Amino acid sequence: MEDFGTPADDSAADDREVFDLCDHCGRVVAAADLLSALVPDSSALHPSDPELDGRRVLTACTVEHLAELVEHYRDRPFVLEEQWAGKVCRALAEQEDAVPLSLVARMSGLSVQQAAQGVEWHNARAREWQARYGDDAAADEDEDEP
């Protein structure tokens, strides 16, 4: 069983300070002192609300670090196919059997064409990875097996 909340009878819960990490340097920062910005990012998927996909919350310990993070994401292209690939992967995450593309599209809130382009984008990245690291990665896995 997982517990994600504070017990109802925990009277000290309101006195606890909340902390987070600076996305730039990793410094631990009290949530009250944290700076944040919302930036477009085609790789960002919201865990529960697909309407919030494509937006990333950045957190930083200083104005300078936040500015550097925002600049980094400003320079990163927003690739719709990347976002569609993520939506397809999220839709398929709990599927054990093969699913027709038309159902994948419905489950992910995409058109069939968008779902197909997302799958192709994902597969192209997988082929690139395989071409670059595949032989060495497969050899490493074989060495680890008993």
Side-chain angles (χ1 to χ4, degrees):
M1 183 170 109
E2 295 177 350
D3 181 14
F4 295 104
T6 304
D9 62 347
D10 188 354
S11 59
D14 294 339
D15 296 335
R16 293 185 189 148
E17 192 167 10
V18 178
F19 295 92
D20 205 338
L21 300 175
C22 174
D23 291 333
H24 185 270
C25 69
R27 181 176 153 217
V28 176
V29 183
D33 298 329
L34 204 61
L35 302 171
S36 62
L38 186 65
V39 296
D41 178 3
S42 55
S43 72
L45 294 178
H46 192 274
S48 61
D49 187 352
E51 293 296 318
L52 297 176
D53 290 347
R55 301 175 194 150
R56 180 173 304 281
V57 176
L58 302 175
T59 57
C61 60
T62 66
V63 171
E64 292 80 13
H65 282 187
L66 187 60
E68 287 184 44
L69 289 164
V70 168
E71 191 61 31
H72 170 77
Y73 280 92
R74 182 174 287 128
D75 292 340
R76 187 184 192 281
F78 193 96
V79 180
L80 283 172
E81 293 81 2
E82 178 181 32
Q83 187 175 36
W84 299 337
K87 288 176 177 279
V88 166
C89 288
R90 180 175 53 207
L92 292 175
E94 297 184 20
Q95 301 298 315
E96 294 181 19
D97 298 321
V99 179
L101 188 60
S102 60
L103 180 56
V104 171
R106 248 190 336 273
M107 291 168 37
S108 60
L110 300 170
S111 71
V112 173
Q113 182 180 4
Q114 289 170 330
Q117 289 176 329
V119 168
E120 179 51 38
W121 187 92
H122 180 273
N123 289 345
R125 301 300 79 70
R127 286 189 299 271
E128 288 171 5
W129 188 92
Q130 183 69 28
R132 178 179 254 173
Y133 305 108
D135 295 337
D136 292 339
D140 290 345
E141 287 179 16
D142 291 341
E143 291 174 8
D144 293 340
E145 291 184 18

